[in-house]
Amino acid sequence: MGFQGEGFTLPLQGCDGDLGTSLPENVDFVVGSGGVNTEARSNRSRGSQRSKSSWVRRKQDKRRNNMVSIEGSQWDKEDGASKRKTEEEGEVSSKVSRHNNESLIFHIQQAIEEARLWNEVNLRQEPVDNLSLNGEKKRWEAPFFGVVKCNLHSNWRNDKLHCGVAYIISNHQGNILHHARDAITSSPNRLTSELRCLIWTLRSMKDLGYTEIMIGSDFKDVGEAVKRPIDWPLFRIFLREIQELCLMFQSVVFEAESILSNQIAREIARSVLRDGRFNSYLALGGPAWLHHRILREASSNCP
């Protein structure tokens, strides 16, 4: 029997391998391989290594779990962002689709309205043989019911001579209601003369009590200047007065005539300088010396 110590056994004196009386020998016995329990020390080393290994594995597992959790949360965030982006794109696409549908409906309604207005304005189709090459009417046409048509003309020759002016008013049946003739002072150009003739005609028609009128002229610049006065700044004084006069009527329509369809008014205006008839006059019906031509024109052009 010996004394049990931690990891080794101290034998009693007298046995083989017993402690001797020499201190160096006893120290050698204790620290030597013979006195130390190497098996226990090995077991403790292996246990410590196993403990360290398990601790390292737990750390690694924990880190791996954290990484998986972080990656999972990132995937969830990416999935959420992708879903939100898809929903936003869907909303934008839906809004664009609704806008396109509303725009299409608006354009269709606008096209229908324009077609209706076009049909109202162009209710009566013009025969091909009744138009000249520039689109002007070859033959005179009566106005609609309730509207009177006034054909006018200014016989301008040059900027030195007087001008003969005339108008003739007809109803929807082609019957002549009034006609008038006058002489005005010289004008620098034909458009000035025509605009002065128009002012004179509008004043006279207002005095006669007409409310819905149609103006026919074979000088197309008259209608263009009245419709777009800003493009004709040299004649703004006359155009401003014409606009003020037009406001006194319920409706005023300007129609382009050809020389043939405006022949009666041209003949009356031409007689001022040709026959020296400088006295102005206003009369019911048409002039007697053009009676047969007026009847022929009315019968051939009115339904």
Side-chain angles (χ1 to χ4, degrees):
M1 295 294 293
F3 180 78
Q4 295 289 334
E6 184 179 356
F8 60 92
T9 303
L10 295 177
L12 296 175
Q13 188 176 4
C15 298
D16 293 336
D18 291 345
L19 291 173
T21 59
S22 175
L23 180 60
E25 292 178 358
N26 294 332
V27 172
D28 290 338
F29 179 83
V30 172
V31 298
S33 59
V36 179
N37 191 343
T38 58
E39 183 178 358
R41 185 166 52 188
S42 177
N43 290 336
R44 285 197 306 270
S45 177
R46 284 195 297 269
S48 176
Q49 289 178 357
R50 283 195 299 269
S51 177
K52 291 180 181 179
S53 298
S54 62
W55 180 81
V56 171
R57 282 196 300 272
R58 285 196 301 272
K59 288 290 185 179
Q60 290 177 350
D61 293 340
K62 185 176 181 180
R63 187 179 303 142
R64 189 181 299 110
N65 292 334
N66 292 335
M67 292 177 63
V68 171
S69 177
I70 293 172
E71 291 178 356
S73 62
Q74 290 178 351
W75 291 340
D76 293 339
K77 291 180 181 179
E78 292 178 357
D79 290 341
S82 177
K83 290 180 180 179
R84 287 194 299 271
K85 184 177 180 181
T86 303
E87 292 176 356
E88 291 176 357
E89 291 178 352
E91 291 178 358
V92 172
S93 177
S94 177
K95 291 180 180 179
V96 171
S97 178
R98 288 196 301 269
H99 175 73
N100 292 336
N101 292 335
E102 292 175 357
S103 178
L104 179 61
I105 294 173
F106 172 76
H107 287 301
I108 292 175
Q109 292 176 347
Q110 188 176 15
I112 294 174
E113 181 66 17
E114 291 178 354
R116 184 184 64 81
L117 294 175
W118 189 91
N119 288 329
E120 290 180 358
V121 174
N122 301 274
L123 190 59
R124 294 184 299 178
Q125 297 292 331
E126 295 291 340
V128 177
D129 59 352
N130 197 29
L131 297 176
S132 61
L133 294 178
N134 59 0
E136 295 176 343
K137 298 178 180 179
K138 289 183 179 180
R139 298 187 302 177
W140 182 87
E141 288 189 353
F144 293 107
F145 177 80
V147 180
V148 296
K149 184 174 182 179
C150 178
N151 289 79
L152 57 85
H153 180 71
S154 175
N155 184 31
W156 181 84
R157 294 185 180 181
N158 55 52
D159 59 351
K160 302 294 191 300
L161 298 176
H162 284 65
C163 300
V165 293
Y167 67 80
I168 184 168
I169 303 173
S170 309
N171 61 10
H172 66 283
Q173 295 177 338
N175 298 324
I176 305 300
L177 302 177
H178 293 91
H179 80 279
R181 179 181 62 196
D182 200 356
I184 59 176
T185 56
S186 60
S187 299
N189 50 64
R190 183 182 174 185
L191 182 55
T192 301
S193 176
E194 291 282 350
L195 294 177
R196 292 175 64 188
C197 177
L198 177 58
I199 292 173
W200 167 71
T201 301
L202 291 173
R203 288 175 178 172
S204 181
M205 296 189 72
K206 182 61 180 176
D207 293 338
L208 292 172
Y210 294 110
T211 57
E212 298 183 33
I213 63 174
M214 177 183 293
I215 304 296
S217 174
D218 55 28
F219 192 55
K220 63 179 182 180
D221 288 347
V222 173
E224 295 294 330
V226 173
K227 292 177 182 178
R228 295 186 58 84
I230 193 173
D231 295 336
W232 305 81
L234 295 178
F235 307 93
R236 59 180 178 274
I237 296 177
F238 300 110
L239 295 174
R240 187 181 299 113
E241 186 174 359
I242 291 171
Q243 289 178 341
E244 292 175 355
L245 289 171
C246 288
L247 294 175
M248 299 180 181
F249 298 88
Q250 291 183 8
S251 66
V252 179
V253 178
F254 289 87
E255 185 177 58
E257 299 281 356
S258 67
I259 294 177
L260 292 176
S261 63
N262 203 40
Q263 195 62 242
I264 303 299
R266 292 176 66 90
E267 285 292 334
I268 299 174
R270 190 180 296 118
S271 66
V272 174
L273 298 181
R274 183 188 60 197
D275 303 334
R277 300 178 179 179
F278 293 96
N279 295 326
S280 63
Y281 76 92
L282 171 67
L284 289 171
W289 53 284
L290 293 174
H291 179 69
H292 294 291
R293 181 182 290 185
I294 293 171
L295 289 178
R296 185 170 61 251
E297 188 176 79
S299 62
S300 62
N301 290 278
C302 295

